[in-house]
Amino acid sequence: RWWDANPSGRVLNRFSGDVETMDQAVTNIIGVLFGAVLFLVGHCAVLLITTPLIVFLLPLCALLMEFYAKSYRSTIREVRRIELVSMSTVYQNMVE
């Protein structure tokens, strides 16, 4: 129905705008990710140069951060699920 009501040029223009938005977003995300990796590598290099014994502590810190990240992700996923379930009754009452 929507496809029949709108000319193909308008549909194509809409999709090309969406693709352009995604291209810009992905480019920005890759830039931020690259900057974060360089930031981490630079800090680790400075730590290793100034305190060579830190080489034994960095893997332990990385493992602890990975454990923390896994528990955080599972917790925030559950909190978000509970939030959405509780909000669904509010939205349902609004519709009725």
Side-chain angles (χ1 to χ4, degrees), residues 12-86:
L12 185 61
N13 188 25
R14 172 62 186 241
F15 284 136
S16 65
D18 290 347
V19 169
E20 181 182 353
T21 301
M22 286 303 297
D23 286 344
Q24 289 175 355
V26 168
T27 303
N28 287 340
I29 289 170
I30 289 174
V32 168
L33 184 64
F34 186 68
V37 168
L38 285 178
F39 186 78
L40 176 69
V41 168
H43 275 76
C44 288
V46 168
L47 276 173
L48 288 172
I49 290 169
T50 57
T51 313
L53 293 177
I54 201 80
V55 76
F56 299 112
L57 190 59
L58 281 178
L60 178 65
C61 288
L63 287 174
L64 289 173
M65 288 302 293
E66 180 63 27
F67 173 75
Y68 174 74
K70 282 183 180 180
S71 65
Y72 174 80
R73 281 190 298 260
S74 64
T75 302
I76 200 68
R77 187 180 307 121
E78 195 64 24
V79 167
R80 183 73 177 143
R81 186 189 66 77
I82 291 170
E83 178 189 17
L84 290 174
V85 167
S86 67

